[in-house]
Amino acid sequence: MYKMNIGIYIYDNAEVLDFSGPFEVFSTASRLSCPENLFNVFLIAENREPVHARGNFLITPHYSISDHPAIDVLIVSGGVHTGEIKKPHIIEWVASTAESATSVASVCTGAFLLAEAGLLSGRTVTTHWEDIEDLRASYPALTVLTAQRWVDQGKLVTSGGISAGIDMSLHLVSKLASMELAQKTARQMEYDWNDNNAD
């Protein structure tokens, strides 16, 4: 069976749970899908240098934007995103990677990177509650929902902040594999899955 590549993009001051939550979901789901091991999950950064995430959490990415395998599911983490959206080569990479991916998702303020790459225009989305108004003001072509854990728009899925990324990732497991595997994954993680989404 084909193993899906789940690439999670991180950067300095990324929110730790924004990437470690989805990483835990997909790595646990892969383990529980044994012997198929459905998912191959890895972290990607601008380069292979260690990334200083929030709280000075030091993490070494598996790949850089120039040497990673083909990506089936791209997840963009949130955090202090303001520097990232000003990097044309990063935004171009997000746009080109999204074009060939089966699914594209953001956690928290990762939605700003997707919006800057032109992927969310005319769509209904969400982000961290604290950044709702900023996202609306910066990208008026978006319909930004409040009080939603995640919003599924087919290929593109956005989530609220931090722990909402876990809920969204479990939802992605249910779409990409099965609801049974998603439920087993949540139980294995001892996580109370919140199904507060919008289509």
Side-chain angles (χ1 to χ4, degrees), residues 81-148:
H81 64 282
T82 49
E84 291 303 299
I85 63 173
K86 294 175 183 175
K87 297 177 180 178
H89 63 291
I90 296 298
I91 299 306
E92 289 168 10
W93 174 80
V94 170
S96 63
T97 303
E99 189 174 346
S100 57
T102 302
S103 298
V104 180
S106 64
V107 183
C108 193
T109 55
F112 284 80
L113 276 75
L114 299 189
E116 189 66 20
L119 301 172
L120 301 181
S121 296
R123 294 181 181 271
T124 301
V125 302
T126 196
T127 188
H128 190 283
W129 61 267
E130 199 171 34
D131 300 283
I132 294 284
E133 292 308 319
D134 189 17
L135 188 62
R136 283 176 175 156
S138 300
Y139 305 98
L142 310 186
T143 300
V144 186
L145 300 184
T146 60
Q148 296 293 335

